[in-house]
Amino acid sequence: MKKLTDYADCAGCASKLQAVDLERIMEDLQPAHVDDRILVDFRTADDAGVYRWSADSALVQTVDFFTPIVDDPYLYGQIAAANALSDVYAMGGEPRTALAIAALPKEGPPPEVIREIFRGGSDKLREAGVVLLGGHTVTDPEIKFGYSVTGHIHPDRVWTNACARAGDILVLTKALGTGVVVRATKFGFSTEVQWESAVASMVTLNHTAARIAAGLRAGSISACTDITGFGLIGHATEVAQASGTTLAFTAGTLPLLSGAAELAAANLPCGGRSNLVHFRRVTVGPDVPPEVALLCMDPQTSGGLLFSLAPDAAVGLMDQLTAAGVRAATVGRVEPRGADDVLVRLS
Ligand code: CO
Ligand code: CO
Ligand code: CO
């Protein structure tokens, strides 16, 4: 019987080259919709769109789906749900409802396998307190699964990419390296322990981290994004671009999944390679180990949250995250954009 990942063109490769072209198409669709109730849309490359209903209530909407990155259907469903929900958390929102999106081959895995994918997703939604309202399925040779998620947020408490401030501290939750570990597993290079820690990371909701950050004094968090297909550097670039700043990371402080550095040194992931081409205004210091630089460009699935926050709130956030069992680290700071126009500096 075919494995689930056999139904994917490139398992573990969340290369976003296509998305880059789509962004250009979106830009060509000017004039964009003009409506003062649009608080956030695609123009700031944010995690989700935000639309104001009333003075104290706004809608957060996102959609995310991808091909199988693991062979266990229940895990695949869980990861797809955790990943889709994450974009709402990354805006500071509370996810409430979801719609499933599935592409399934005519002659695909047996119904009980498909059922497990949906069950994994539903269980993860339930854990997040999100209800499934419906969905849509199409026939496709490649399996794809995910959700459109709708959440709620106060219009004054949206974490957009555009508001990172020079002087902010950068805090990252979860460890980097899911792309490298998934890919190494596909070719039989990873150990069971490495694989299990990557899976444990991918099925973990960003719910706790987001809730703690949202509970900080109003205005403490200036920007937030989750780390997914563009990798740490790609998503940091989006924040820097939108906010007119430079994000400076200290390589030695970055949390890495167990074994990820060794696997990265041995295997260049294909998504990572296309991501390398994508970043021009990024500098990597001479002392940064190449495998760490690679992990910073590694496409992540259901990665952590990157918070840009006021220095006086950073210690409190770290303490609360640690107390709640969330893996997190202070990984750098936000600087004013220099004359060199660099967006992300890794040193
Ligand atoms: Co995102
Ligand atoms: Co997304
Ligand atoms: Co955001």
Side-chain angles (χ1 to χ4, degrees), residues 5 11-12 68-73 75-76 79 177-203 257-260 263 301:
T5 51
I69 58 158
V70 296
D71 287 311
D72 181 318
L75 281 180
Y76 172 43
I79 294 168
T178 62
V180 162
V181 175
V182 163
R183 189 120 189 102
T185 304
K186 170 102 176 153
F187 295 107
F189 295 136
S190 68
T191 66
E192 202 150 318
V193 173
Q194 291 165 350
W195 169 241
E196 274 164 12
S197 64
V199 167
S201 177
M202 291 188 286
V203 300
L257 282 174
S258 123
L263 292 169
T301 300

Side-chain angles (χ1 to χ4, degrees), residues 171-173 208-209 212 314-330:
V171 168
L172 177 68
T173 70
T208 306
I212 289 171
V315 175
L317 175 64
M318 279 300 298
D319 287 350
Q320 287 189 64
L321 289 173
T322 309
V326 176
R327 185 166 181 187
T330 302

Side-chain angles (χ1 to χ4, degrees), residues 39-103:
L39 301 184
V40 179
D41 70 7
F42 59 89
R43 281 168 285 194
T44 45
D46 262 290
D47 301 293
V50 183
Y51 184 86
R52 192 182 57 230
W53 279 130
S54 66
D56 60 359
S57 175
L59 199 68
V60 191
Q61 285 193 303
T62 183
V63 57
D64 222 317
F65 60 105
F66 48 76
T67 56
I69 58 158
V70 296
D71 287 311
D72 181 318
Y74 183 71
L75 281 180
Y76 172 43
Q78 284 188 290
I79 294 168
N83 183 72
L85 291 162
S86 178
D87 279 326
V88 175
Y89 295 130
M91 299 307 289
E94 258 180 78
R96 296 280 172 82
T97 65
L99 302 170
I101 300 151

Side-chain angles (χ1 to χ4, degrees), residues 100-151:
I101 300 151
L104 300 167
K106 258 202 188 88
E107 319 227 326
E112 56 270 25
V113 171
I114 304 297
R115 195 174 165 277
E116 282 302 284
I117 298 175
F118 281 86
R119 194 172 67 87
S122 289
D123 283 357
K124 199 42 80 175
L125 294 179
R126 196 170 297 120
E127 183 188 331
V130 169
V131 293
L132 182 69
L133 295 182
H136 187 69
T137 303
V138 297
T139 307
D140 190 84
E142 202 179 50
I143 294 179
K144 298 178 189 81
F145 183 73
Y147 292 95
S148 167
V149 181
T150 300

Side-chain angles (χ1 to χ4, degrees), residues 86 89-90 159 170-178 201 204-213 221 224-228 232 249 253-257 300-309 317-318 320-322 325-331:
S86 178
Y89 295 130
W159 302 332
L170 296 168
V171 168
L172 177 68
T173 70
K174 293 195 181 180
L176 299 171
T178 62
S201 177
T204 299
L205 290 173
N206 282 326
H207 171 90
T208 306
R211 202 201 42 202
I212 289 171
I221 302 287
C224 174
T225 184
D226 61 340
I227 307 304
T228 53
L232 175 69
F249 293 95
T253 61
L254 294 167
L256 307 177
L257 282 174
Q300 302 296 285
T301 300
S302 188
L305 297 175
L306 177 67
F307 293 108
S308 179
L309 77 163
L317 175 64
M318 279 300 298
Q320 287 189 64
L321 289 173
T322 309
V326 176
R327 185 166 181 187
T330 302
V331 295

